[in-house]
Amino acid sequence: MTQPSSNSFPRLLSPFQIGSVSLSNRFVFQPHFTALTIGDGLPNDALRAYFVERALGGAGLIIDGHMTVMAEGMMAPHYLRAWEERIIPAYRPIVEEVHRAGSRIFGQLTHSGHTTLTEPPQDLWAPTQMPEPSSRYTTRAMDLSDIRKTVRRFGEASRNLVSAGLDGIEVKIAHDGLLRSFVSPYFNRRTDAYGGSFEKRMRFPLEVLESIREAVGPDVPVGIRICLDEYTPFGYHLDEGLRIAERFEASGLVSYFNCDAGTFSSFWMEIPPAAVEQGYFRPLNRALKGISNLPIVAFGRIKDPDMAERILALGEADLIGMCRPLIADPDLPRKLAEGRADEIRACIGCNDGCIHQVMQVKGIRCIQNPGAGQELVYSERLLTRAQVPKNVVVVGGGVAGLKVAEISARRGHHVTLLERDTALGGQIRLAAKQPLHQEIGEVVAYLEAAVKRLGVEIWLNADADVDGLLELRPDVIVVATGSQPDLPPGRRGSRTDPDAGTIARARGLQVPNALPGLDAPCVRSVDEVLADDVPSSQRVLVIDAHGHWEAAGTAEYLADQGCTVEVVTSRPEVGFGLEATNKVMFHQRAREKGIRLTPWTEVESIEHDGVTVRDLLTGEERRIGPVDVVVPVFPRVSRDDLYFQLLDRVGNDADVAVLRIGDASAPRLIQTIMLEAQQIAMEL
Ligand code: SF4
């Protein structure tokens, strides 16, 4: 098969000029919050390493999205205090390293205005006193001195950033924030010089731009991250977004536009998860490009280099904004340039590691890339060749086994991977069958391609036992045998799937689920439901005691098969563990598909054609039925028989190390399992 070469992406890899600044290619690492800094208002080593990683990976332009102009404008305490001169020496090392790596770096200045992640919030500044509809906190209507102070601060902060060596300034009039709320007719109800008409709504952000331009001079690029559509019933839409952009461009103060959409009230459109089609926002980019003479950065679920190249070829934009794809694979641009497109590790749009973390004001992570946000410790650039190559045998070809095999092989170990199934991937292959979840399959696609490329010996259909494993003369056996539903034998998975937790249960290391009726004929596991064809028109009850996609996605899958589905949970909501953008969109779809969601409801027992439940708020007991199928989703249990058998045989034999990882150690989500696998492989 012919591999794509760098010639396949001539536009994406071609240089570009924004004013006085030359970019080596069209990749823009989009501004975003990482929560990596520590709250003293200055960048730290973690943030430096985060940006340098993407510069080394080949991004032409990096835009730091952590910079604010005053304490009241901080989205979180982790934002950088760009208005203070101490940022100049603190930021300079980042600029120098990014430049040395061949990239350019801009600073995006923002004032969070009526929105914040801080709880309880600071004084929230806004054009008009009113809460952002998604918030329960109201705002302070800015007076003239507030406006003047803010205008001045944007100028001072810009001057500091340029003094620190940053190559350009971007102003955020998008997403969350003060400047967007001033241009938005819904949020700006003022009747003074700063509201009441389109021109007056534009006045404050234009004064901010003038202040910045005055501070940095005519040659430094000053761009706008612009919200083109607020995607709310009450907000403005594309026609108004274009009108706003036109007015900014007419001012002659702006060097480029970086497209954007959504607000806190439509945050699932700000950072759209996999449920939003790739390239969904292309019409917005195209529309702005159609009316503007300035360079345009395209945005929104662009992860496929072919799509990115097409966007440039069709003249929809001049630059390609990528955020999550470069979190998942910082080396994406470099791999393209080196003709290694097939080695790219794709962002799967899960939002579980990146957005879910930072919305909780925790350091950014990525389920695909254990090094994301932890570059100082887990960057792949830190992987070293093992001094003594070992014979590593991995049992299990799910995510944990594949990841440990990949990193071990990259370190020079000889790796053999045994998988009892006919294909690699484990539970991921089932998860990918859930509606709008196909992209999770790219986790396995990357790992499978990587281990094959690295020469890992893969045995499929391989039932591992202790004698067979020891015959391979391993130095290390890594048991990654995964997990099984916490249901009685015969109800766990496909009917041919043998139980693999018997030893742990006999030793009191696993406790069987005590819910009465789990062995009823109507009970089927998620594994079984997703693996087999489910007859349509069945009445199905799903018990969500886990909160993640296992229950929510399976319920949706069954509804799509024509089943009548109800999901009960003892928690306040079904899917209680889902990341916020995914949760909203799941609930929207559940409503559309007629899935009944019943919170605060504990299942007391399962009978042959129904369940008895108790309302946790009233204590009232009732019966749900008749139903044909009950799918209980509890936290899974480890398949660890092999691990204990190995321990019993080799004991503390120093010649063979026996390790267990992934779900075989404790069933968890992919993010922690990927990290654990990398940690273990780095120490082999
Ligand atoms: Fe993409 Fe998921 Fe990684 Fe976020 S956590 S960058 S959405 S793969």
Side-chain angles (χ1 to χ4, degrees), residues 323-325 327-328 346-355 365-369 671:
C323 185
R324 291 170 293 174
I327 297 172
C347 164
I348 62 164
C350 63
N351 284 356
D352 275 346
C354 49
I355 303 309
R365 299 289 182 265
C366 171
I367 77 163
Q368 276 278 60
N369 175 15
Q671 183 182 319

Side-chain angles (χ1 to χ4, degrees), residues 231-521:
Y231 282 110
T232 60
F234 46 80
Y236 67 77
H237 298 296
L238 181 59
D239 52 347
E240 182 76 358
L242 294 176
R243 187 176 173 216
I244 292 166
E246 256 181 326
R247 179 64 187 89
F248 281 131
E249 183 165 345
S251 74
L253 298 164
V254 184
S255 312
Y256 72 94
F257 285 119
N258 189 353
C259 301
D260 198 22
T263 72
F264 255 41
S265 284
S266 53
F267 61 96
W268 51 95
M269 298 307 266
E270 288 185 336
I271 311 121
V276 177
E277 191 189 344
Q278 290 178 48
Y280 180 84
F281 300 93
R282 281 174 66 180
L284 273 62
N285 302 320
R286 200 183 303 133
L288 182 54
K289 181 70 185 162
I291 61 152
S292 174
N293 292 312
L294 295 176
I296 302 295
V297 184
F299 85 112
R301 287 273 284 149
I302 305 168
K303 64 178 229 180
D304 172 12
D306 289 322
M307 179 188 285
E309 181 69 21
R310 247 186 343 268
I311 287 171
L312 297 176
L314 293 171
E316 294 177 11
D318 303 287
L319 294 147
I320 300 295
M322 285 192 182
C323 185
R324 291 170 293 174
L326 300 187
I327 297 172
D329 192 343
D331 287 333
L332 189 158
R334 186 169 300 283
K335 287 177 180 174
L336 279 192
E338 293 172 357
R340 296 189 291 134
D342 55 323
E343 294 180 30
I344 290 169
R345 186 174 49 217
C347 164
I348 62 164
C350 63
N351 284 356
D352 275 346
C354 49
I355 303 309
H356 198 37
Q357 287 281 129
V358 301
M359 289 299 278
Q360 300 171 69
V361 198
K362 294 180 189 162
I364 196 160
R365 299 289 182 265
C366 171
I367 77 163
Q368 276 278 60
N369 175 15
Q374 307 184 92
E375 284 75 11
L376 291 169
V377 191
Y378 295 117
S379 165
E380 290 182 353
R381 296 176 215 289
L382 300 177
L383 293 179
T384 53
R385 298 289 290 181
Q387 288 188 341
V388 181
K390 291 179 180 154
N391 187 16
V392 178
V393 176
V394 180
V395 187
V399 165
L402 284 165
K403 190 69 186 174
V404 85
E406 181 208 3
I407 303 297
S408 302
R410 287 173 71 160
R411 297 196 56 233
H413 296 302
H414 177 265
V415 184
T416 306
L417 186 147
L418 288 76
E419 166 57 46
R420 69 191 173 121
D421 211 334
T422 52
L424 298 171
Q427 284 182 69
I428 298 288
R429 285 184 21 244
L430 296 180
K433 293 175 81 172
Q434 296 181 342
L436 303 168
H437 268 235
Q438 296 83 346
E439 283 180 60
I440 198 171
E442 295 175 36
V443 173
V444 173
Y446 166 79
L447 289 170
E448 184 169 349
V451 295
K452 286 180 175 163
R453 196 170 53 244
L454 290 161
V456 170
E457 213 173 302
I458 300 169
W459 299 0
L460 297 176
N461 269 321
D463 258 329
D465 61 21
V466 173
D467 290 332
L469 287 170
L470 294 179
E471 274 173 28
L472 295 173
R473 305 215 164 276
D475 299 303
V476 182
I477 301 174
V478 182
V479 178
T481 42
S483 59
Q484 57 193 14
D486 187 9
L487 298 175
R491 290 282 172 273
R492 292 202 178 95
S494 69
R495 296 189 191 285
T496 53
D497 187 13
D499 180 18
T502 52
I503 298 174
R505 281 200 303 281
R507 295 178 184 178
L509 303 173
Q510 259 183 34
V511 182
N513 196 322
L515 181 68
L518 281 177
D519 54 356

Side-chain angles (χ1 to χ4, degrees), residues 41-82:
L42 296 177
N44 58 6
D45 270 357
L47 189 67
R48 177 185 53 75
Y50 184 76
F51 287 137
V52 171
E53 184 92 341
R54 275 78 201 170
L56 290 168
L61 174 62
I62 289 166
I63 306 177
D64 183 338
H66 293 85
M67 307 199 165
T68 190
V69 298
M70 60 179 63
E72 296 85 351
M74 288 184 136
M75 181 60 72
H78 304 66
Y79 270 61
L80 304 184
R81 300 167 76 94

Side-chain angles (χ1 to χ4, degrees), residues 654-681:
D655 291 340
V656 185
V658 179
L659 308 169
R660 60 178 159 166
I661 66 165
D663 276 14
S665 171
R668 283 153 295 157
L669 300 179
I670 298 175
Q671 183 182 319
T672 42
I673 284 173
M674 286 279 213
L675 175 60
E676 178 188 59
Q678 178 155 333
Q679 283 168 334
I680 283 175

